[in-house]
Amino acid sequence: MKKSIVVACLLLLAGIAEAQIRLGQSRYSSQKPVNIVDLDYSKPKKFRIAEIKAVGLSTLDETAIISLAGLRVDDEISVPGDVISSALKKLWKQGIIGDVKILVTKIEGDDIYLLLDLTERPRFSRVEFMGVNKTQEGELKEKVEIRGRVVRDDVLNNAQRKIKDYFVDKGHLNAQVKVIQERDTTLPNSVKLRFDVDKGSKVRINEIKIAGNENIADGKIKKKLKGTKEHARLYIFKDLVSRLLNTTPKTAKQAIVNRNPVSLEDVEEYINKNFKLNFFNGSKFVRSDFRDDKNKVIAFYNSRGYRDAEIVNDTIYSFDQDRINIDIEIEEGRQYYYRNISFSGNYIYDSDVLQAKLGIFKGDVYNKERLDKRLNYDPQRGDDVSSLYQDDGYLFFTIDPVEVNVDADSIDIELRIFEGPQVTVNSVSIEGNERTSDHVVMREIRILPGQKFNRSALVRTIRELSQIGYFDPENIEPDMRPNFEQATVDIVFKLEERPNDQIELSGGWGGLFGFVGTVGLTFNNFSIKNIKDFSKWRPLPVGDGQKVSLRVQANGRSFQNYSVSFTEPWFGGRKPNALSLSFNHSIQRQIDFFNRNNIGNELGSFKITGATLGLAKRVTWPDDYFQVSNSLQFQVYDFDEYGNFFGLSYNTGVARSIALNTTIARNNIDNPIYPRFGSNIILSASATPPYASMNRSLNSESPDEQKYQWLEYHKWMFDASLYTPLFGSNKLVLSARTHLGFVGSYGDRIGIIPLERFVLGGDGMNMMNFALGQEIIGLRGYENQSITPGRDFRGQPNAPVPYGGVVYNKHVMEVRFLVSPNPSATIFLLGFAEAGNNWGNYAEYNPYDLKKSAGFGARIFMPAFGLLGIDWGYGFDEVPSIQNPNPGPSGGMFHFTIGQQFR
């Protein structure tokens, strides 16, 4: 029987094809008709393929499609036969064809001419989202990347699932997503796709009920559910009930039922509706967080010795339209203890040495998490068992704890050790330092070729590379490539550079003051050597780790500051001896704003011009975290109708000083922007020559012009900061700081000078504080300079109290929470409590008489602008003055900061 040939059509796949949207069109239908050859299918015959063509393609390549079909010119085929059926299957399998026919256009003897008549599936040209905001739309477009892809059901279903999961993770458990397809008339064979999203209300957790926990209280378990919190009102209510009845939450429930004519559920419902205390409404339900939290609960049980603890059941059910309840049933099992702890396979160190390093003994509660830390890596202590071996070159060292016997509540542990060979570092290389020269990176590396492998040196190298500030500290990865046969290791430090040059721009018009603002440029990876090599300009010559800083501050005509500095961290190129040069010029003017006939006239000025030369050196004793620096500073103080502001008897004149400063510092913090571990301790002493001892004519009765022609003083400063992670988190950190400073004299002949004293209070910034020649110390919750002796007499000649304190104390406690570790915008929040005071003489000094404050704030670090901050502080104490002897508490106020506020 003869008929027009449509050689094969897969009935099974045809049904699937009908399910797909068909907007494609065959070119064949619009072309000039082609003769179709009729064949007798009852008599199969062999042919040679003489020609293969494909039509109906709009985006696909004809040659590629023919190749995918598996048909080639000169192939011998049978018609009908399996080759044609196989070709159809192969084309359908690709998922890019909506319809396909294989036609015979001509037969000449044994030669057959084939035509593939195809219909392409359409492609997605545009994707739109309805029912979402701009931020959500941007995030969804990143998750649903289907533009340009072929229209297929699995693609649509996968996109729909991703969108729904996105909103489920945000607490919208009832989110619905509708998919709408429309023909795109602007492009051939294309489909516009729209997702209509109905987010619904957020589903929050009304209550979490814990069952089966006989030994650990509900509250402790719920604290481990950090991402799964029940509604704050109900949680606080139940906690209060528990405390009032002096019993456990479970017993408290029954007590309420017994003492009241209504049920506990009625009371809870009343509280939910009427009790509005709801501090942190973070009770949304997120499935992924709930899974993680269940693992945390089990880990917590394991850390308490309950090694068999498990969550046998958890049930999530609706409480009302937008709230759910969660029931968690726990099977605690028994609590276990360590009994016998033994070591095997150890030949280098005795078992007693390893036991002491382990720090876990017979009778201790079984804690697998602590055991793993003490065996492999304990970041807080750093002296685990592995460090004993790996700091001595045994890179392949492994230790495997095996429970050899469990008897009642006791566990015997055998620690099986493989020591391996002592490994030598074969090579050390770096990757990713496109801007920074190799020698700048390599000089910070503490583990070198030819040395025995040392884990502590490797960890220290990571810290040093993060401290120089050129690389993202979160992405410094040492790639270890060990060779067991040769007992060597190659180390590749993979680095990710981040922008570290900074620009500081702020400004405005201050009315009578004029322009108010700051312009600052800091280049932290400068290179003098590359100035002539324009290929190293980005946009200035970079790569050698030198630092150049330029800064201009202005508060109109009232205050200006100009400074320039240069630092070479490796002066000479062989040792970390930092050479620094700086120049500074500041001027502070007294402007007449009250005389209408002469408004804006300059009444007086005070200028400071100075230069500093410094040299800092890293030392290895007491340990190699110490640094000793020395600097020589020369300054000129020029008073023009301004000396009275410092309590001087003269108003116009010049004073000079030459001071030698020595600073001893120890810094082992892990991250300069957001420290989590370590401390920073600094002791600094500055001293001038004892001019009075060299000039016996000077005494306390000498005129101020003579006494202060060359300033004579010594100043001591102590600053200590300690950082500790809280609850094992690398985001929540406790920062404790203390600061102390005092200024002294070499005797009573001159006494303590009126300059170089301390002013306390406010944000601690020099800008617009009008405190040139003084040390500015911040104390949040109080006005700038408000806690400063002599402020009531400033500007009076022969003032009874000079302006500024001679000794101050300050103590700070902060809890910090890291919001974003992104190196381009590191953000953290903080809560603080601090106290400090400032005294005008040593007789009044009382370290317990402190002005206290508390508050909260936020910091954001951007490489281009440095650290920016805002704080709100409440001062609890009063700061009396002559004008207002009983002002009451300082109260609340905001403070804005630019740069790292050290004190």
Side-chain angles (χ1 to χ4, degrees):
M1 184 178 71
K2 296 183 179 180
K3 58 183 177 179
S4 298
I5 182 169
V6 176
V7 177
C9 183
L10 297 178
L11 296 179
L12 179 62
L13 295 177
I16 299 176
E18 288 298 325
Q20 305 290 338
I21 182 169
R22 291 190 178 184
L23 299 177
Q25 187 174 9
S26 170
R27 286 183 180 177
Y28 177 70
S29 62
S30 62
Q31 290 180 341
K32 185 177 179 180
V34 177
N35 293 327
I36 305 301
V37 178
D38 293 333
L39 295 176
D40 186 357
Y41 284 97
S42 63
K43 298 178 181 180
K45 185 178 179 181
K46 290 186 177 181
F47 296 95
R48 184 187 71 88
I49 300 177
E51 179 186 75
I52 308 174
K53 291 184 178 181
V55 295
L57 302 176
S58 58
T59 60
L60 299 175
D61 181 72
E62 180 181 5
T63 303
I65 287 295
I66 294 173
S67 177
L68 288 173
L71 299 174
R72 294 187 299 274
V73 174
D74 292 330
D75 281 358
E76 187 177 88
I77 63 172
S78 294
V79 180
D82 295 337
V83 174
I84 297 296
S85 299
S86 176
L88 286 169
K89 291 178 182 179
K90 289 177 182 178
L91 290 175
W92 277 110
K93 187 177 179 180
Q94 302 304 315
I96 56 178
I97 302 300
D99 193 11
V100 57
K101 301 174 184 177
I102 299 180
L103 308 177
V104 178
T105 59
K106 184 169 62 172
I107 293 178
E108 293 180 349
D110 291 336
D111 291 344
I112 191 169
Y113 294 75
L114 301 180
L115 177 69
L116 276 61
D117 185 10
L118 308 169
T119 302
E120 285 188 37
R121 291 185 187 273
R123 295 179 180 268
F124 295 115
S125 60
R126 284 189 293 171
V127 180
E128 299 175 351
F129 297 89
M130 302 298 291
V132 301
N133 58 39
K134 291 292 185 183
T135 302
Q136 293 169 342
E137 182 178 3
E139 293 175 350
L140 287 172
K141 284 183 177 179
E142 293 181 1
K143 289 181 175 291
V144 183
E145 296 179 353
I146 61 175
R147 182 178 176 182
R149 296 184 63 182
V150 173
V151 176
R152 287 167 38 188
D153 282 348
D154 60 325
V155 174
L156 291 172
N157 293 336
N158 188 45
Q160 193 175 22
R161 178 182 54 79
K162 285 183 178 180
I163 296 170
K164 186 168 183 178
D165 289 347
Y166 171 84
F167 286 103
V168 167
D169 286 345
K170 293 183 176 294
H172 299 274
L173 267 65
N174 300 320
Q176 298 294 323
V177 181
K178 185 178 181 181
V179 182
I180 299 175
Q181 302 178 58
E182 297 176 354
R183 184 188 298 273
D184 189 347
T185 57
T186 63
L187 294 172
N189 201 29
S190 298
V191 172
K192 292 188 297 183
L193 189 61
R194 188 175 83 240
F195 294 101
D196 286 350
V197 180
D198 180 8
K199 295 182 290 186
S201 59
K202 284 189 175 183
V203 175
R204 300 193 179 275
I205 302 168
N206 175 66
E207 184 180 13
I208 300 174
K209 298 177 181 179
I210 312 293
N213 54 318
E214 301 296 333
N215 298 291
I216 297 180
D218 288 7
K220 291 184 178 180
I221 295 174
K222 289 179 180 180
K223 285 181 180 179
K224 297 302 173 182
L225 302 172
K226 297 185 181 300
T228 311
K229 298 288 186 183
E230 64 184 356
H231 202 274
R233 289 177 290 189
L234 183 60
Y235 182 80
I236 294 171
F237 161 71
K238 292 168 65 177
D239 184 65
L240 287 172
V241 170
S242 176
R243 293 175 182 273
L244 287 172
L245 298 180
N246 194 24
T247 183
T248 66
K250 292 180 181 296
T251 309
K253 281 189 176 184
Q254 189 59 45
I256 291 176
V257 173
N258 294 338
R259 295 185 184 190
N260 293 276
V262 295
S263 66
L264 176 62
E265 288 72 18
D266 293 333
V267 177
E268 289 178 350
E269 182 179 356
Y270 176 81
I271 292 292
N272 278 324
K273 290 181 178 179
N274 299 282
F275 190 50
K276 300 303 181 184
L277 182 60
N278 190 6
F279 293 115
F280 303 103
N281 198 11
S283 59
K284 66 181 181 182
F285 178 77
V286 180
R287 293 186 185 277
S288 59
D289 289 348
F290 183 48
R291 286 193 296 269
D292 293 341
D293 286 341
K294 288 189 292 184
N295 293 331
K296 291 175 183 176
V297 170
I298 298 304
F300 175 66
Y301 264 99
N302 293 161
S303 70
R304 295 296 186 93
Y306 298 94
R307 64 187 284 273
D308 300 329
E310 61 177 328
I311 295 177
V312 295
N313 188 33
D314 63 84
T315 306
I316 302 169
Y317 55 94
S318 177
F319 176 76
D320 56 25
Q321 186 175 0
D322 59 354
R323 284 185 293 176
I324 60 173
N325 287 345
I326 300 177
D327 292 348
I328 300 175
E329 184 180 353
I330 299 173
E331 188 175 298
E332 295 180 326
R334 63 169 48 179
Q335 189 175 30
Y336 290 88
Y337 301 86
Y338 291 106
R339 187 169 63 182
N340 298 318
I341 302 175
S342 60
F343 296 85
S344 64
N346 54 308
Y347 304 101
I348 298 169
Y349 296 102
D350 292 336
S351 296
D352 292 342
V353 175
L354 297 178
Q355 180 68 60
K357 183 66 70 172
L358 179 64
I360 298 175
F361 302 96
K362 182 177 182 179
D364 288 352
V365 172
Y366 180 85
N367 185 337
K368 191 175 187 304
E369 181 182 1
R370 181 168 177 249
L371 178 65
D372 289 340
K373 283 185 177 181
R374 298 304 305 140
L375 290 178
N376 297 303
Y377 183 59
D378 191 338
Q380 295 190 21
R381 293 182 57 178
D383 60 345
D384 47 82
V385 175
S386 292
S387 69
L388 194 65
Y389 279 90
Q390 293 186 344
D391 285 351
D392 196 29
Y394 294 93
L395 173 62
F396 296 103
F397 165 83
T398 60
I399 183 166
D400 184 23
V402 179
E403 298 177 2
V404 295
N405 187 26
V406 179
D407 184 11
D409 64 349
S410 300
I411 299 177
D412 295 336
I413 298 290
E414 181 182 346
L415 302 174
R416 298 174 182 175
I417 293 174
F418 172 74
E419 294 175 332
Q422 207 168 26
V423 174
T424 302
V425 179
N426 181 56
S427 67
V428 177
S429 58
I430 52 178
E431 294 178 359
N433 55 315
E434 298 178 359
R435 290 167 49 92
T436 307
S437 301
D438 286 356
H439 73 274
V440 174
V441 182
M442 293 301 296
R443 68 194 184 190
E444 302 294 340
I445 293 178
R446 301 297 183 93
I447 185 167
L448 302 174
Q451 296 178 346
K452 290 188 296 185
F453 176 80
N454 187 301
R455 192 185 77 179
S456 296
L458 182 70
V459 174
R460 180 65 183 276
T461 296
I462 296 173
R463 176 193 175 274
E464 296 300 324
L465 292 176
S466 68
Q467 287 289 314
I468 59 178
Y470 309 147
F471 310 106
D472 180 7
E474 306 292 335
N475 291 315
I476 298 176
E477 300 179 3
D479 183 9
M480 312 284 290
R481 302 172 183 177
N483 187 316
F484 185 83
E485 289 76 14
Q486 299 181 8
T488 60
V489 62
D490 297 317
I491 305 175
V492 180
F493 288 95
K494 296 184 177 181
L495 310 171
E496 182 179 314
E497 286 189 315
R498 66 178 185 184
N500 61 342
D501 295 332
Q502 297 175 7
I503 180 171
E504 183 180 346
L505 294 173
S506 62
W509 184 255
L512 296 175
F513 286 89
F515 175 77
V516 177
T518 300
V519 177
L521 296 172
T522 301
F523 304 101
N524 288 301
N525 196 4
F526 193 74
S527 175
I528 293 179
K529 181 182 68 175
N530 291 331
I531 290 179
K532 296 182 179 180
D533 186 357
F534 290 100
S535 65
K536 300 292 182 67
W537 284 55
R538 298 170 185 167
L540 293 176
V542 298
D544 283 343
Q546 298 158 352
K547 181 177 180 179
V548 174
S549 181
L550 307 169
R551 199 164 189 263
V552 177
Q553 286 179 284
N555 185 19
R557 294 177 57 210
S558 298
F559 174 83
Q560 291 105 42
N561 173 263
Y562 310 90
S563 63
V564 58
S565 65
F566 171 80
T567 302
E568 167 55 77
W570 283 66
F571 182 60
R574 295 186 177 182
K575 294 183 179 181
N577 299 327
L579 175 70
S580 60
L581 297 167
S582 65
F583 173 82
N584 181 81
H585 176 73
S586 301
I587 181 168
Q588 190 168 300
R589 296 182 178 90
Q590 182 185 7
I591 306 297
D592 188 352
F593 296 114
F594 305 102
N595 187 343
R596 294 184 178 180
N597 297 325
N598 204 18
I599 192 167
N601 185 48
E602 181 178 321
L603 301 178
S605 66
F606 172 45
K607 302 175 183 178
I608 297 181
T609 303
T612 304
L613 173 65
L615 184 65
K617 179 181 180 180
R618 298 181 194 174
V619 295
T620 58
W621 186 89
D623 63 30
D624 59 0
Y625 289 106
F626 275 84
Q627 178 174 290
V628 177
S629 60
N630 296 284
S631 64
L632 186 66
Q633 183 183 60
F634 173 73
Q635 291 198 118
V636 177
Y637 306 82
D638 187 353
F639 303 95
D640 182 5
E641 299 296 329
Y642 211 89
N644 294 157
F645 275 81
F646 294 93
L648 298 172
S649 61
Y650 66 93
N651 217 15
T652 300
V654 176
R656 301 173 180 83
S657 73
I658 296 179
L660 176 67
N661 174 274
T662 296
T663 299
I664 301 173
R666 184 184 187 275
N667 182 357
N668 70 335
I669 61 175
D670 65 317
N671 189 316
I673 304 302
Y674 189 79
R676 299 178 177 91
F677 300 97
S679 60
N680 187 12
I681 302 173
I682 301 173
L683 175 62
S684 174
S686 300
T688 65
Y691 298 110
S693 299
M694 296 183 287
N695 185 354
R696 306 302 297 179
S697 64
L698 291 177
N699 55 57
S700 59
E701 302 299 326
S702 300
D704 286 356
E705 293 92 329
Q706 296 181 14
K707 285 193 299 182
Y708 305 132
Q709 184 178 7
W710 288 94
L711 299 182
E712 175 184 295
Y713 68 93
H714 58 88
K715 181 190 289 187
W716 300 78
M717 307 285 285
F718 177 77
D719 305 281
S721 303
L722 175 67
Y723 302 92
T724 305
L726 296 176
F727 311 116
S729 170
N730 64 349
K731 289 189 174 183
L732 193 63
V733 175
L734 175 66
S735 169
R737 307 197 303 271
T738 188
H739 308 277
L740 166 68
F742 66 88
V743 180
S745 66
Y746 297 113
D748 296 333
R749 296 180 60 194
I750 298 296
I752 300 176
I753 63 172
L755 294 166
E756 297 300 330
R757 295 187 173 211
F758 306 107
V759 296
L760 181 68
D763 52 38
M765 296 179 63
N766 186 58
M767 178 65 173
M768 298 195 301
N769 274 346
F770 304 111
L772 287 181
Q774 310 288 22
E775 197 82 41
I776 299 175
I777 314 297
L779 189 67
R780 292 166 287 190
Y782 296 88
E783 296 287 351
N784 288 342
Q785 304 184 49
S786 59
I787 310 173
T788 302
R791 67 188 180 99
D792 291 327
F793 307 102
R794 193 172 190 190
Q796 299 181 18
N798 297 311
V801 180
Y803 183 72
V806 299
V807 58
Y808 88 95
N809 281 129
K810 178 183 174 182
H811 311 287
V812 183
M813 191 76 74
E814 286 184 353
V815 175
R816 300 177 172 186
F817 178 75
L818 182 63
V819 176
S820 169
N822 191 327
S824 61
T826 303
I827 305 171
F828 62 91
L829 308 177
L830 59 90
F832 68 87
E834 59 187 22
N837 209 343
N838 193 14
W839 295 269
N841 59 71
Y842 290 102
E844 297 176 350
Y845 175 67
N846 180 358
Y848 302 103
D849 179 20
L850 302 175
K851 308 295 184 183
K852 299 172 287 295
S853 67
F856 53 87
R859 299 287 184 274
I860 177 170
F861 175 81
M862 293 183 290
F865 298 99
L867 190 67
L868 309 176
I870 180 173
D871 295 304
W872 181 87
Y874 186 90
F876 297 104
D877 297 291
E878 62 181 13
V879 183
S881 63
I882 293 178
Q883 294 81 8
N884 189 3
N886 298 297
S890 177
M893 61 190 70
F894 283 98
H895 303 281
F896 298 91
T897 58
I898 301 175
Q900 192 80 268
Q901 301 303 298
F902 186 62
R903 298 185 177 93

